[in-house]
Amino acid sequence: MSAIHPVDVLIGRLPKTELHLHIEGTLEPELMFELARRNGVSLPYADIASLRAAYDFNNLQSFLDLYYAGADVLRTEQDFYDLSRAYLQRAHQDGVVHTEIFFDPQTHTARGIPFAVVYQGIRRALDQAQAEWGISSRLIMSFLRHLSEDEGFAVLEQAVPHLAGIDGVGLDSSEFGHPPSKFARLFARCRELGLPCVAHAGEEGPAAYVLEALDVLKVCRIDHGVRSLEDPALVARLAAERMPLTVCPLSNIKLKVYADLAEHPLRRMLQAGLAAMVNSDDPAYFGGYLGENLLACRRALDLSAEEVVQLARNSFEASWLPPAVKADWQRVISGIVGDWRAEQAA
Ligand code: ADE
Ligand code: ZN
């Protein structure tokens, strides 16, 4: 048996932050079948193996079709709790100390599930993970961009009684044909409410959508943003502003944004001075949680210890943790890297 690569050892030891994770995208096939049974929902798959076999996507839309269909098994507060609890347990095992998760309320309210049922189930699991494992978190309500801006306003209204426990808003779903500017008024309202804004942009859509997310929606983070690389002026701006880009490498491969992880621009993004970091997006569908994304990138791109540490530092820098807590985690990273280097030199 070959020894573990020393940089993989370092990856295992580093504290991790996840900034791009759709809670509905953590629904593992086993739990999907269990919830289907519990709620009397029939799934169009004979068993777990045939469901997994369907996870063979051509593009973002082919994934979204399956992802929205899978979410139909989520009906009760307990279902949303169980889903979130399973993710948080897995994240804890991966060394995730802080996570900022998206939820898509419109996927559920459209099926008649009350907003409060969705919110309270997720909230209970997040609060429990903080108390039990010390995992800090933020909750980001994401609007579905294939729906209208008015539908976004309707769900925002339902969220208002719960805003004490909602830390920001996002924009996700089908990117082509649904530019950020479609949601200019909605995001202006969210900013008035004091909600920090993020948006998926430049995943499949063009660099121009990243510009709109910055200038029209006034986001403080870009989710994905890999197609920004097609516009050198935009790259220079993103680097100068240290605008975080929540990159999701295994997602990009599963959704055919890149043919192979060895072609992924993660290293080029770091070299360009971008505040990029690694995230898992929809790990139950894309074949890997955060730790697996990092290990796969290290292998495919032969990332150095410096690059892996930069990714970890970028994650904490881009998080919504208070500055003093970020500084504490940066010191923890320095300590771990120092010990690891001393071991390597011995
Ligand atoms: N919803 C869940 N995952 C998504 C992704 N990768 N892009 C856009 N919307 C999503
Ligand atoms: Zn995403």
Side-chain angles (χ1 to χ4, degrees), residues 2-11 298-299 302-304 340:
S2 60
I4 302 179
H5 192 286
V7 178
D8 291 350
V9 172
L10 179 60
I11 289 172
R298 203 286 302 156
R299 282 181 204 128
D302 194 23
L303 295 180
S304 66
W340 178 86

Side-chain angles (χ1 to χ4, degrees), residues 91-329:
H92 180 52
Q93 283 163 11
D94 250 3
V96 173
V97 297
H98 178 72
T99 184
E100 302 189 358
I101 72 171
F102 296 116
F103 73 120
D104 286 343
Q106 288 161 294
T107 301
H108 315 299
T109 54
R111 300 180 288 116
I113 315 289
F115 186 99
V117 163
V118 180
Y119 168 75
Q120 283 160 0
I122 300 171
R123 185 78 257 161
R124 182 154 64 93
L126 292 176
D127 292 347
Q128 193 180 345
Q130 169 79 70
E132 212 170 302
W133 299 318
I135 298 182
S136 52
S137 58
R138 299 290 183 272
L139 184 57
I140 305 174
M141 177 173 89
S142 211
F143 298 108
L144 298 182
R145 69 201 307 159
H146 67 274
L147 301 179
S148 69
E149 189 177 45
D150 283 347
E151 286 166 295
F153 272 107
V155 77
L156 178 60
E157 204 163 300
Q158 294 174 57
V160 164
H162 309 286
L163 285 186
I166 294 174
D167 302 286
V169 297
L171 184 66
D172 63 8
S173 195
S174 322
E175 192 177 8
F176 280 127
H178 303 286
S181 52
K182 177 176 163 185
F183 299 94
R185 289 184 314 124
L186 178 61
F187 273 63
R189 177 71 191 129
C190 290
R191 293 196 309 276
E192 272 172 22
L193 290 168
L195 291 162
C197 302
V198 299
H200 284 53
E203 176 185 17
E204 277 190 348
Y209 283 17
V210 176
L211 268 171
E212 280 193 10
L214 295 173
D215 292 333
V216 181
L217 303 188
K218 305 198 192 305
V219 297
C220 59
R221 238 166 29 206
I222 295 286
D223 294 311
H224 293 288
V226 288
R227 287 198 60 197
S228 304
L229 292 172
E230 294 166 23
D231 178 346
L234 174 60
V235 170
R237 172 179 172 186
L238 292 167
E241 294 178 4
R242 288 294 288 164
M243 176 60 61
L245 302 178
T246 64
V247 177
C248 305
L250 288 178
S251 162
N252 292 155
I253 305 311
K254 281 296 265 187
L255 302 188
K256 308 280 195 292
V257 178
Y258 302 100
D260 191 276
L261 205 48
E263 290 172 24
H264 196 280
L266 181 65
R267 166 176 285 128
R268 279 194 286 132
M269 297 176 88
L270 293 178
Q271 286 171 343
L274 294 171
M277 84 299 294
V278 169
N279 302 274
S280 67
D281 207 5
D282 301 285
Y285 292 90
F286 299 153
Y289 286 77
L290 181 54
E292 287 154 335
N293 268 268
L294 286 163
L295 292 172
C297 288
R298 203 286 302 156
R299 282 181 204 128
L301 300 168
D302 194 23
L303 295 180
S304 66
E306 289 73 19
E307 287 168 324
V308 162
V309 171
Q310 189 64 56
L311 290 168
R313 290 200 184 283
N314 289 352
S315 300
F316 284 98
E317 177 191 331
S319 75
W320 292 345
L321 283 166
V325 178
K326 290 187 191 187
D328 285 344
W329 283 118

Side-chain angles (χ1 to χ4, degrees), residues 53-74:
Y55 293 180
D56 181 21
F57 310 115
N58 307 316
N59 52 29
L60 174 58
Q61 192 59 52
S62 64
F63 154 69
L64 290 171
D65 293 343
L66 219 136
Y67 163 84
Y68 293 131
D72 186 39
V73 302
L74 296 161

